[in-house]
Amino acid sequence: MQWAIKTQRLFDGTGSPLVRDALVVIENEHIIAVGPAAQVALPAGVSVLDVGDRTVMPGLIDAHVHLLWSGSVASGQESRVATDSQALLMGVRNAQVALKSGLTTVRDCGDRDYLSLALRDFINHGDLAGPRLLCSGPVITSTAGQLWWQSIECDRVDELQKAVRALVKHDVDFVKLMGTGGNATPGSNPEASQYDAAGFQVVAEDAHRMGRKVAVHVPRTCASRAPTLGISGRIVTRRSAVCTPPA
C-alpha cells in the first residue's frame, strides 16, 4: 500500500536546509521518495495526508529510558512498591506518550520480571501502537546494589555468567550491568565499583559470545577504565556507557 505526506516544511536530518512544500511517499513500512513536491513523482490514486503548517522530520531515538517508571524524582521509591500490573500499565502509557512525542525507537535500560519484553513483543505484533523497543530486561547488580529490588543480584563470576545466559534465554536485545551504585538506591555508592575487573570482563565476553552488546551504569569518572575491564564504549548519559566487548 502506498500513501504520501504533504508538508510545508521537511527536516531530513542530514544537515541540509529545510525542504519547503515537500512530499514523502511511503510504501508499506518504507519511505520510497522524499523531496520538493514539484520533483517527486506521485503515482495516480495515492492517498495524500496534508499536515499543513507542520514540520515533518525523522523519528527520534531515546537511548536510555525506564518505561516502567513514572519518571518523577521519586521513581525509584515508587517502583519498589508498585505491582507488576501497575508497572506494565505505566510502561504502556509511557510507550504511547513516547510515540506521540516523536520517539520511534526507545532503548529500555532496565525493567522488572521481563515486562518490557512482553510490551516490546506486543507492539511488534501490531497489537498496540508504540515505538520500536530495544530492551535489556532486568539489570545485573550486586547484592543490595543499584536497583536490587528489580534486578538479578550477582556477586561471583559464575553468577554473572549465569545471569547473562538467563537474559539471553529470555531474548533481551542487550545486557545492562550496574557497574556502580546509584542515587536511586539508598545505601549504594555511586562512586564505587560493584565488581572487580574479572566481573566486568566475564559479562562482556559471555554477552559478546551470544551476540549481545552491554550497557554499563558507571559515573563519568570511572568510564575511562572501561577498556581495561574488557569493555569499550562511549558515554551517552551522565551515568551510563554503551559498551560492546572487543572482537
PDB file of all heavy atoms in Angstrom, residues 2 42-48:
ATOM      1  N   GLN A   2       0.537   2.199  -0.845  1.00  0.00           N
ATOM      2  CA  GLN A   2       1.268   3.459  -0.911  1.00  0.00           C
ATOM      3  C   GLN A   2       0.392   4.604  -0.399  1.00  0.00           C
ATOM      4  O   GLN A   2      -0.819   4.615  -0.590  1.00  0.00           O
ATOM      5  CB  GLN A   2       1.709   3.769  -2.344  1.00  0.00           C
ATOM      6  CG  GLN A   2       2.850   2.916  -2.853  1.00  0.00           C
ATOM      7  CD  GLN A   2       3.360   3.415  -4.198  1.00  0.00           C
ATOM      8  OE1 GLN A   2       2.739   4.254  -4.838  1.00  0.00           O
ATOM      9  NE2 GLN A   2       4.501   2.899  -4.608  1.00  0.00           N
ATOM     10  N   LEU A  42       4.319  11.355  -7.945  1.00  0.00           N
ATOM     11  CA  LEU A  42       3.293  10.762  -7.092  1.00  0.00           C
ATOM     12  C   LEU A  42       2.380   9.892  -7.944  1.00  0.00           C
ATOM     13  O   LEU A  42       1.690  10.396  -8.835  1.00  0.00           O
ATOM     14  CB  LEU A  42       2.485  11.857  -6.405  1.00  0.00           C
ATOM     15  CG  LEU A  42       1.537  11.422  -5.302  1.00  0.00           C
ATOM     16  CD1 LEU A  42       2.311  10.797  -4.146  1.00  0.00           C
ATOM     17  CD2 LEU A  42       0.723  12.614  -4.801  1.00  0.00           C
ATOM     18  N   PRO A  43       2.374   8.584  -7.715  1.00  0.00           N
ATOM     19  CA  PRO A  43       1.525   7.697  -8.518  1.00  0.00           C
ATOM     20  C   PRO A  43       0.053   8.104  -8.433  1.00  0.00           C
ATOM     21  O   PRO A  43      -0.416   8.603  -7.405  1.00  0.00           O
ATOM     22  CB  PRO A  43       1.755   6.319  -7.876  1.00  0.00           C
ATOM     23  CG  PRO A  43       3.077   6.435  -7.181  1.00  0.00           C
ATOM     24  CD  PRO A  43       3.152   7.862  -6.717  1.00  0.00           C
ATOM     25  N   ALA A  44      -0.665   7.891  -9.495  1.00  0.00           N
ATOM     26  CA  ALA A  44      -2.080   8.258  -9.551  1.00  0.00           C
ATOM     27  C   ALA A  44      -2.871   7.466  -8.505  1.00  0.00           C
ATOM     28  O   ALA A  44      -2.621   6.280  -8.290  1.00  0.00           O
ATOM     29  CB  ALA A  44      -2.638   7.991 -10.948  1.00  0.00           C
ATOM     30  N   GLY A  45      -3.803   8.150  -7.865  1.00  0.00           N
ATOM     31  CA  GLY A  45      -4.690   7.477  -6.927  1.00  0.00           C
ATOM     32  C   GLY A  45      -4.130   7.294  -5.531  1.00  0.00           C
ATOM     33  O   GLY A  45      -4.809   6.736  -4.661  1.00  0.00           O
ATOM     34  N   VAL A  46      -2.905   7.767  -5.281  1.00  0.00           N
ATOM     35  CA  VAL A  46      -2.303   7.607  -3.965  1.00  0.00           C
ATOM     36  C   VAL A  46      -2.932   8.606  -2.988  1.00  0.00           C
ATOM     37  O   VAL A  46      -3.060   9.799  -3.289  1.00  0.00           O
ATOM     38  CB  VAL A  46      -0.776   7.815  -4.030  1.00  0.00           C
ATOM     39  CG1 VAL A  46      -0.184   7.898  -2.628  1.00  0.00           C
ATOM     40  CG2 VAL A  46      -0.126   6.683  -4.792  1.00  0.00           C
ATOM     41  N   SER A  47      -3.326   8.129  -1.824  1.00  0.00           N
ATOM     42  CA  SER A  47      -3.904   8.981  -0.803  1.00  0.00           C
ATOM     43  C   SER A  47      -2.829   9.884  -0.209  1.00  0.00           C
ATOM     44  O   SER A  47      -1.729   9.427   0.115  1.00  0.00           O
ATOM     45  CB  SER A  47      -4.535   8.124   0.298  1.00  0.00           C
ATOM     46  OG  SER A  47      -5.034   8.932   1.339  1.00  0.00           O
ATOM     47  N   VAL A  48      -3.155  11.190  -0.075  1.00  0.00           N
ATOM     48  CA  VAL A  48      -2.199  12.167   0.440  1.00  0.00           C
ATOM     49  C   VAL A  48      -2.731  12.776   1.736  1.00  0.00           C
ATOM     50  O   VAL A  48      -3.855  13.280   1.779  1.00  0.00           O
ATOM     51  CB  VAL A  48      -1.930  13.284  -0.583  1.00  0.00           C
ATOM     52  CG1 VAL A  48      -0.964  14.318  -0.002  1.00  0.00           C
ATOM     53  CG2 VAL A  48      -1.375  12.701  -1.880  1.00  0.00           C
TER      54      VAL A  48
END
